[in-house]
Amino acid sequence: MQTTKYSLPKKAFIISFGKVINRLSALFAIMYLSYALSKDLYGSYRQVWLLFNMLVPMLSLGIPVSINYFLPLLNDNQRKTFTIQTYFLLCFLGVIFSLFLFFGSDQLAKLFNNPDIGILLKYFSIIPFLCLPTLFYQNLFVCLDNPVLATKVSLFSSITYVLAIIIPIHFGYTLANMIGFLTIHYLIQFLVFSVLMYRMFINIQFDYSFRLLKEQIYYAIPVGMTSVIGLVSINVDKIFISSFFNPEIFAEYANGSMELPFIGILTGSIMAVLMPEFVKLYKNKDIKNLIKIWHSSIMKVAFLFFPLMCILFIYSEEFMTLFFSSKYKSSAQIFKIYLLGLPCRITIFGVILLSLNLSSYVFKYAIYTFILNLILNYVLINQLGVIGPAVSTIMVTYFIAALQLNRISKEFNYKFYSIFPWKKLIQLMTISILVLLSVYVIDLLVIEKIIVSNAMMQNLIIIVAGSTVYFLIFISMCFLTKFLSKEDVFIFLRKLI
């Protein structure tokens, strides 16, 4: 297979770009539906996707993630065998998923205290069969050193997804009809990936390998179970909200707890690109270089996430109103709580553990997290009401991060205080918060005085003006405190070009 060699930063950028477009299209679809649908219909639609997203890791068994670990270690013939076996295994699991969703729809509707989603789940049930076999295309193309192809598929998928959402709703079709259009979108994605995969390996011999399949499943199941527990743990707040409140309240909570497109994409793309490199470095016992590369990625992400957290905290109400309409202004309260979890998203500790083949530890920590989150959600929803599950989610996010980081430090034989770039991160967070306080005062005295007849335009102007002021003060503070130098800027621009 002839491929172009890409550096790690360029790989991360290409993949991140594709995923950003993918997430932006999903965000645009959610924004459109927030404006176009009533709260109860929108809440029901989000509940269908909540169920799907929680069940995906359970019924895919962690198979897609196993690509990142195995493929870099295989030759071309083994790669074809591994890829084809993975594809058909996911097809089989997709059939099981679809049957489960169709025949279990009524019981799932009772779980969510919303009988309206029962029929929606039946319409939706064909999508898992079409979706599961395509879950690993990003991992596959990155490991085959073809991130451009992965990005092209993402862009194509994003376009068809948005059209499948907008066209039926714009022309007055029902939510069930829209799910039919989504099914066509996933069918096209399934066919495109199948053809691309076939063409990539057409000249390479296929030899079925039960041993390879067995190794893959042994590696993947703990990862899959960890993902299940992790996702259920992360989404258990939404399950509690669905059970305790009506679909309208769930709609408000779902929008407030929305993850920004850049968050999971940037960190996930960087770690997906770095994982094969981490596997090789650890195998060669080059721990020092592994940690150096990891720390470098952490600081780059934190330099974006920390100030972003502060800006969005100040303008959370304007942000919610602009993106989801004035119906969801109250979602800002939940949004602010979720923003407090951003410092934990500057890396993915589980990827490091998986690179060290310590998936059992990831699984064990996820179980602890799930149990704690379940208990805290129940206690806090009764004590604090609708914000209780959000508070619980953030507390548990920090808890699992601490557990995983502690395990990593022991595995590398490093002290806890030296395994992570604590000093630089604290300095960056301090600068970010100081700038936040400055901008908050400027916002009260100047920016909030801006009056425009169009409410949407006013919110946009306030966010842009405030963000510009924050950015200028933040960069100035970074230079004044010598956190940044001119050389850092030149190096960044050179790499970007």
Side-chain angles (χ1 to χ4, degrees):
M1 292 177 291
Q2 294 297 320
T3 58
T4 303
K5 290 291 181 182
Y6 295 92
S7 65
L8 290 178
K10 186 168 285 189
K11 266 190 186 181
F13 175 78
I14 294 170
I15 291 297
S16 295
F17 176 75
K19 287 189 175 181
V20 165
I21 298 299
N22 195 273
R23 289 288 181 88
L24 284 176
S25 66
L27 175 60
F28 180 78
I30 289 173
M31 289 167 57
Y32 178 81
L33 292 174
S34 294
Y35 277 90
L37 299 178
S38 61
K39 276 188 178 181
D40 60 330
L41 280 177
Y42 176 72
S44 296
Y45 175 75
R46 291 297 300 269
Q47 285 176 330
V48 169
W49 276 106
L50 173 61
L51 276 169
F52 176 76
N53 290 329
M54 285 196 304
L55 290 171
V56 162
M58 182 184 300
L59 293 166
S60 64
L61 301 177
I63 298 297
V65 180
S66 67
I67 293 287
N68 288 4
Y69 179 78
F70 283 95
L71 222 62
L73 307 176
L74 303 176
N75 60 41
D76 283 351
N77 282 357
Q78 290 174 322
R79 284 180 174 185
K80 178 173 183 176
T81 299
F82 185 80
T83 302
I84 300 299
Q85 289 181 173
T86 300
Y87 174 80
F88 282 107
L89 179 58
L90 287 172
C91 284
F92 173 72
L93 294 171
V95 172
I96 296 175
F97 194 167
S98 290
L99 292 173
F100 173 78
L101 213 56
F102 184 85
F103 291 106
S105 57
D106 293 335
Q107 291 302 315
L108 292 169
K110 288 179 183 178
L111 173 68
F112 274 61
N113 195 28
N114 182 5
D116 292 338
I117 68 170
I119 187 65
L120 293 178
L121 286 170
K122 281 184 167 65
Y123 286 120
F124 192 86
S125 61
I126 191 64
I127 290 177
F129 167 70
L130 299 172
C131 185
L132 250 66
T134 68
L135 288 178
F136 70 105
Y137 81 83
Q138 290 271 5
N139 312 66
L140 174 65
F141 296 151
V142 169
C143 287
L144 295 178
D145 216 17
N146 201 342
V148 172
L149 182 58
T151 300
K152 286 179 180 178
V153 174
S154 291
L155 292 175
F156 175 77
S157 178
S158 299
I159 293 169
T160 56
Y161 175 78
V162 170
L163 292 176
I165 295 287
I166 293 178
I167 290 174
I169 298 299
H170 178 74
F171 287 101
Y173 289 97
T174 65
L175 202 56
N177 295 141
M178 188 193 76
I179 291 174
F181 276 77
L182 278 174
T183 303
I184 295 172
H185 152 73
Y186 282 106
L187 174 61
I188 294 170
Q189 181 178 274
F190 172 81
L191 294 173
V192 168
F193 173 65
S194 300
V195 170
L196 287 173
M197 185 184 66
Y198 172 77
R199 290 178 62 185
M200 290 184 77
F201 293 104
I202 191 170
N203 295 320
I204 301 175
Q205 183 180 352
F206 170 77
D207 294 313
Y208 174 75
S209 173
F210 180 75
R211 177 192 60 79
L212 200 55
L213 181 62
K214 185 178 176 182
E215 288 181 9
Q216 180 184 20
I217 292 174
Y218 279 171
Y219 175 87
I221 286 180
V223 176
M225 292 305 297
T226 302
S227 297
V228 171
I229 295 170
L231 264 178
V232 173
S233 182
I234 290 171
N235 288 304
V236 74
D237 59 329
K238 299 175 186 67
I239 298 174
F240 270 90
I241 294 294
S242 291
S243 301
F244 278 70
F245 301 99
N246 58 39
E248 288 87 348
I249 298 297
F250 175 78
E252 293 177 0
Y253 189 93
N255 280 351
S257 61
M258 172 206 68
E259 182 177 82
L260 294 168
F262 298 99
I263 306 306
I265 298 169
L266 184 60
T267 311
S269 298
I270 290 172
M271 296 306 286
V273 170
L274 291 179
M275 184 177 173
E277 190 71 14
F278 289 155
V279 171
K280 292 176 183 176
L281 289 171
Y282 185 68
K283 188 178 180 181
N284 295 330
K285 298 183 179 180
D286 191 359
I287 306 301
K288 187 176 180 180
N289 202 28
L290 191 159
I291 292 175
K292 181 182 177 182
I293 294 172
W294 185 35
H295 282 194
S296 176
S297 72
I298 288 169
M299 291 311 303
K300 286 180 174 66
V301 176
F303 192 78
L304 174 64
F305 282 12
F306 286 5
L308 181 64
M309 177 185 73
C310 295
I311 291 169
L312 291 174
F313 197 88
I314 298 174
Y315 299 111
S316 55
E317 286 191 4
E318 289 83 358
F319 184 80
M320 287 290 109
T321 303
L322 177 66
F323 273 60
F324 304 117
S325 83
S326 57
K327 292 183 291 186
Y328 296 97
K329 186 176 181 179
S330 57
S331 298
Q333 185 181 29
I334 303 300
F335 186 62
K336 282 183 177 179
I337 296 171
Y338 264 83
L339 283 173
L340 298 177
L342 264 186
C344 269
R345 304 300 305 277
I346 57 177
T347 190
I348 303 175
F349 300 104
V351 169
I352 302 296
L353 291 172
L354 293 176
S355 300
L356 312 183
N357 201 17
L358 295 175
S359 55
S360 59
Y361 280 98
V362 181
F363 180 58
K364 181 172 67 174
Y365 296 150
I367 292 175
Y368 298 159
T369 305
F370 171 68
I371 295 171
L372 179 61
N373 206 6
L374 205 61
I375 295 170
L376 282 176
N377 264 270
Y378 181 76
V379 172
L380 294 180
I381 199 170
N382 285 289
Q383 295 295 321
L384 303 177
V386 72
I387 70 167
V391 174
S392 171
T393 299
I394 298 307
M395 291 172 65
V396 170
T397 299
Y398 279 93
F399 176 73
I400 192 170
L403 283 179
Q404 292 177 322
L405 186 57
N406 183 59
R407 181 65 247 170
I408 292 168
S409 67
K410 289 181 179 178
E411 189 65 25
F412 287 154
N413 200 25
Y414 272 63
K415 298 292 185 183
F416 188 81
Y417 61 81
S418 60
I419 194 64
F420 213 56
W422 296 107
K423 185 177 179 181
K424 288 184 177 180
L425 289 173
I426 291 171
Q427 185 182 358
L428 182 60
M429 180 60 77
T430 302
I431 293 171
S432 301
I433 293 174
L434 288 174
V435 177
L436 179 149
L437 297 174
S438 304
V439 173
Y440 181 70
V441 174
I442 296 171
D443 180 67
L444 290 177
L445 296 176
V446 181
I447 299 175
E448 286 291 339
K449 307 295 183 184
I450 298 173
I451 304 295
V452 180
S453 57
N454 185 289
M456 182 182 291
M457 186 58 65
Q458 179 170 334
N459 287 326
L460 180 61
I461 291 172
I462 288 173
I463 293 171
V464 171
S467 300
T468 302
V469 172
Y470 187 99
F471 174 76
L472 293 173
I473 298 175
F474 175 75
I475 293 298
S476 301
M477 286 281 288
C478 285
F479 279 117
L480 286 173
T481 57
K482 296 183 180 179
F483 187 84
L484 271 183
S485 65
K486 291 181 180 179
E487 288 74 21
D488 293 327
V489 177
F490 290 144
I491 291 171
F492 172 77
L493 291 175
R494 225 174 14 247
K495 287 183 177 180
L496 193 62
I497 294 170

